[in-house]
């Protein structure tokens, strides 16, 4: 029988668990994505075997989350996550269960999952197990909580943001009762760690329909609770799509009135993301009053320049703006892209002057860099030497 997933290792994991007398199925996002004819990002297997029993079946395993029933099985050069059927205890802190209970039936396991479309399972021969009409919701493109919505969000407030994220990623609507429960329980999102929130927002920004999700975020108060609001809806619409999650963060740090530092600190952005949103903010602010200079093209990367220009376009209707191709052409036409491209270095300066090395070489390399960049001399040994010897003499 043809295999649905490319990962032959995952089939081998199920086969071996079954031989050992356990039940094992594909579950969650992988099954959903298969039915949507999309390639699954990660394949999860759920099993009746308890972690020790899983470990007894395979030679190589890693305890990644034993307390939650998850064992990573290393097999055929792949790492497959295998999780014991479980239910979750009470959630006194609204973000993680006080304890998990291993259970023997798949039904109990599927009941604890967030949405009907994520509560689908599939046997290794491709038979779908659908206890909550998940396939119907998939066909109708609806996100519906499994069971009592308010209770499910009360247990784990992150699920509200997951619903909103899926509405962007899948371009699905959130079922009315589930949406109402998000409105009613939005304030509980404060119990969720910022790291988990950020992961969902990253996915939301780069989804198929971020506008749909952001509209829900703002109208449900979730946005306000997350300190992620804007009244610049038209501008936001024009700034979409975001090519990367960083562009989404940059929008809020540039247009929505939160400073880049505040946003980066609040959402614990990585250094790379922090630098990106700061650069976009800086370029955009300058762009409001002037055209890009040679140094702007030189100092900033293409992603930052393009993103700032996109935001400029989104916020200043009448201005003539540059296309991505214009920006690429302008940057590529610079005589050098970085200091490393210069054909001379400090040693050349020492040789030409007969002086010994020191901080002065760095200072003059900087001057040469600017001279080449602004076309005062070509990036050739002869030209640079000419320009340098002349200016160096003048300054002395
Ligand atoms: P993605 O495509 O982003 O991986 P996913 O649905 O696979 O989406 P995961 O975070 O990988 O999401 O979780 C795997 C499965 O675990 C989900 O499909 C769902 O069944 C269950 N799940 C994940 N997070 C929760 C949660 N907070 N509450 C209940 N069930 C959850
Ligand atoms: Mg997944």
């Amino acid at each position: 029988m043809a295999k649905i997933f490319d990962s032959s290792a995952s089939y081998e994991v199920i086969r071996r668990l079954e031989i050992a007398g356990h039940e094992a199925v594909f579950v969650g996002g992988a099954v959903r994505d298969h039915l949507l004819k999309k390639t699954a990002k990660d394949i999860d297997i759920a099993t009746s075997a308890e972690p020790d029993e899983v470990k007894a079946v395979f030679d190589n395993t890693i305890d990644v989350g034993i307390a939650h029933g998850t064992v990573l099985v290393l097999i055929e050069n792949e790492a497959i996550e295998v999780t014991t059927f479980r239910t979750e205890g009470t959630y006194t802190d609204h973000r993680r269960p006080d304890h998990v209970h291993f259970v023997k039936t798949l039904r109990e396991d599927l009941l604890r999952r967030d949405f009907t479309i994520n509560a689908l399972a599939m046997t290794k021969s491709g038979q779908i197990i659908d206890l909550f009409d998940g396939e119907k919701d998939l066909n109708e493109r609806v996100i519906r909580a499994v069971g009592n919505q308010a209770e499910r969000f009360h247990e784990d407030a992150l699920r509200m943001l997951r619903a909103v994220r899926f509405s962007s990623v899948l371009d699905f609507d959130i079922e009315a009762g589930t949406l109402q429960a998000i409105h009613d329980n939005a304030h509980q999102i404060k119990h969720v760690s910022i790291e988990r929130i950020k992961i969902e927002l990253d996915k939301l920004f780069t989804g198929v329909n971020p506008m749909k999700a952001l509209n829900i975020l703002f109208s449900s108060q979730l946005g306000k609770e997350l300190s992620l609001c804007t009244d610049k809806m038209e501008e936001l619409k024009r700034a979409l799509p975001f090519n990367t999650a960083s562009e989404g963060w940059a929008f809020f740090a540039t247009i929505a009135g939160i400073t880049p530092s505040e946003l980066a600190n609040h959402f614990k952005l990585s250094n790379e993301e922090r630098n990106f949103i700061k650069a976009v903010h800086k370029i955009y602010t300058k762009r409001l009053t002037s055209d890009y200079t040679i140094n702007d093209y030189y100092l900033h990367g293409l992603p930052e320049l393009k993103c700032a220009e996109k935001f400029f376009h989104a916020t200043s209707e009448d201005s003539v703006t540059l296309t991505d191709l214009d920006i690429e052409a302008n940057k590529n036409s610079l005589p050098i892209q970085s200091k490393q491209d210069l054909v001379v270095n400090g040693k050349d300066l020492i040789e030409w002057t007969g002086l010994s090395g020191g901080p002065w070489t760095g200072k003059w390399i900087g001057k040469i860099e600017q001279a080449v960049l602004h076309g005062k001399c070509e990036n050739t040994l002869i030209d640079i030497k000419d320009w340098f010897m002349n200016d160096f003499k003048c300054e002395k």
Side-chain angles (χ1 to χ4, degrees):
M1 175 171 299
K3 289 182 174 145
I4 287 163
F5 297 125
D6 281 342
S7 156
S8 76
S10 63
Y11 287 87
E12 182 60 9
V13 168
I14 295 186
R15 198 180 69 83
R16 290 211 206 164
L17 284 167
E18 286 179 348
I19 289 173
H22 308 293
E23 205 182 321
V25 286
F26 295 109
V27 76
V31 181
R32 177 198 68 222
D33 289 344
H34 155 60
L35 291 172
L36 288 171
K37 300 186 171 44
K38 298 206 298 188
T39 312
K41 276 180 263 100
D42 41 37
I43 293 178
D44 293 316
I45 289 173
T47 179
S48 58
E50 295 206 3
D52 282 346
E53 295 174 316
V54 174
K55 285 162 72 173
V57 172
F58 301 98
D59 295 336
N60 285 322
T61 60
I62 301 178
D63 295 356
V64 281
I66 281 277
H68 291 91
T70 305
V71 172
L72 202 62
V73 176
L74 305 178
I75 185 167
E76 296 180 8
N77 294 322
E78 285 189 57
I80 308 290
E81 257 193 28
V82 178
T83 304
T84 305
F85 294 160
R86 60 174 218 221
T87 58
E88 295 170 352
T90 45
Y91 284 70
T92 32
D93 63 356
H94 310 275
R95 52 182 167 177
R96 66 180 92 78
D98 299 335
H99 48 262
V100 305
H101 287 297
F102 298 141
V103 292
K104 279 292 160 203
T105 68
L106 175 62
R107 180 186 165 76
E108 287 170 279
D109 181 88
L110 295 179
L111 261 172
R112 61 120 180 140
R113 293 180 182 268
D114 48 7
F115 308 113
T116 60
I117 57 169
N118 288 345
L120 291 157
M122 187 174 77
T123 64
K124 70 175 188 313
S125 55
Q127 187 199 340
I128 299 292
I129 300 160
D130 179 10
L131 305 181
F132 312 107
D133 284 338
E135 267 199 277
K136 181 167 174 278
D137 286 339
L138 265 188
N139 293 332
E140 290 174 8
R141 305 171 67 81
V142 165
I143 298 154
R144 181 194 310 272
V146 173
N148 180 295
Q149 303 99 342
E151 258 172 42
R152 304 313 308 289
F153 294 152
H154 195 74
E155 285 169 0
D156 180 1
L158 183 74
R159 289 172 188 154
M160 296 186 283
L161 195 53
R162 279 177 58 88
V164 180
R165 178 260 278 199
F166 283 118
S167 77
S168 168
V169 172
L170 302 175
D171 194 8
F172 279 22
D173 287 329
I174 301 180
E175 173 269 328
T178 306
L179 188 60
Q180 185 60 48
I182 293 177
H183 280 258
D184 296 344
N185 294 282
H187 59 282
Q188 299 200 26
I189 199 72
K190 61 177 171 291
H191 300 297
V192 179
S193 76
I194 208 70
E195 288 83 357
R196 291 178 85 198
I197 288 172
K198 164 143 192 314
I199 292 171
E200 297 304 322
L201 290 170
D202 280 344
K203 292 181 180 176
L204 185 161
F205 287 147
T206 50
V208 179
N209 195 345
M211 199 64 216
K212 179 183 267 184
L214 288 165
N215 273 325
I216 300 170
L217 203 73
F218 302 142
S219 65
S220 69
Q221 297 287 310
L222 264 182
K224 204 161 169 213
E225 294 289 342
L226 294 172
S227 311
L228 204 65
C229 277
T230 182
D231 52 6
K232 302 272 177 13
M233 294 308 275
E234 283 310 307
E235 289 84 346
L236 175 57
K237 240 181 252 170
R238 286 196 290 266
L240 289 170
F242 296 135
N243 295 314
T244 58
S246 294
E247 286 197 1
W249 294 111
F251 179 87
F252 285 94
T254 306
I255 315 295
I258 316 168
T259 70
S261 300
E262 274 169 358
L263 188 105
N265 291 342
H266 182 69
F267 288 98
K268 299 194 181 165
L269 301 193
S270 68
N271 283 339
E272 199 182 321
E273 290 164 331
R274 182 184 291 264
N275 292 338
F276 181 85
I277 67 171
K278 280 191 172 171
V280 171
H281 181 270
K282 189 171 165 190
I283 304 167
Y284 170 85
T285 309
K286 203 172 158 217
R287 182 74 173 105
L288 289 175
T289 51
S290 63
D291 288 338
Y292 291 142
T293 61
I294 287 175
N295 273 335
D296 291 331
Y297 281 112
Y298 184 63
L299 292 174
H300 299 293
L302 279 175
E304 290 86 338
L305 289 162
K306 287 180 185 176
C307 181
E309 186 69 8
K310 178 161 74 169
F311 293 171
F312 176 60
H313 183 61
T315 53
S316 42
E317 279 162 69
D318 303 331
S319 307
V320 177
T321 51
L322 301 163
T323 64
D324 280 359
L325 283 179
D326 293 332
I327 294 175
E328 275 168 35
N330 290 344
K331 185 159 172 82
N332 288 336
S333 70
L334 295 177
I336 51 171
Q337 294 298 330
S338 78
K339 216 176 257 180
Q340 278 73 45
D341 292 345
L342 284 178
V343 296
V344 300
N345 59 31
K347 274 193 205 142
D348 296 305
L349 307 192
I350 291 167
E351 198 187 304
W352 294 339
T353 57
L355 297 172
S356 46
W360 69 271
T361 55
K363 187 182 110 186
W364 275 93
I365 287 291
K367 288 188 180 200
I368 292 169
E369 186 184 16
Q370 284 296 315
V372 169
L373 204 53
H374 289 88
K376 293 192 181 132
C377 62
E378 300 239 338
N379 186 25
T380 62
L381 217 57
I382 298 175
D383 233 32
I384 292 177
K385 186 174 180 185
D386 246 22
W387 179 88
F388 167 73
M389 293 311 274
N390 192 35
D391 269 46
F392 190 69
K393 248 187 272 150
C394 295
E395 192 160 290
K396 273 214 305 187

